[in-house]
Amino acid sequence: AEFDRLRPELVGSYLASAYVQLGALYAQGGYVDAALVAFGNARELVPTDARYAYLTGVFHLQKNQLREAEAAIAAALAADAE
């Protein structure tokens, strides 16, 4: 509810950070698929931030989705090199 209330005021990196926080909460609750969606939203908003791609890769690894994990980690490394 709080996230939905604040969302219109958040833009760019602030909204991406909110999505990551939301994803972390989902992950803590065991909702890894929902966490991946939240991290994906953050990546779309700030594709140059390696942290968001890395988090996506970590959770794909947790789900044993190796190809997706490899792609996300490669994107994180590429973004970090820039």
Side-chain angles (χ1 to χ4, degrees):
E2 181 73 9
F3 178 78
D4 290 330
R5 184 182 69 74
L6 291 174
R7 187 175 174 194
E9 298 173 20
L10 300 172
V11 294
S13 62
Y14 294 111
L15 182 55
S17 180
Y19 274 123
V20 169
Q21 291 177 18
L22 182 62
L25 290 172
Y26 281 137
Q28 282 181 331
Y31 302 102
V32 175
D33 289 331
L36 282 168
V37 170
F39 298 144
N41 288 340
R43 285 181 71 188
E44 286 183 30
L45 288 167
V46 188
T48 57
D49 194 319
R51 297 172 298 172
Y52 306 148
Y54 175 78
L55 284 170
T56 302
V58 167
F59 284 98
H60 278 301
L61 275 175
Q62 187 177 27
K63 291 183 56 104
N64 204 31
Q65 298 172 333
L66 302 182
R67 287 189 180 144
E68 293 88 346
E70 181 181 19
I73 299 294
L77 290 171
D80 194 43
E82 292 177 3

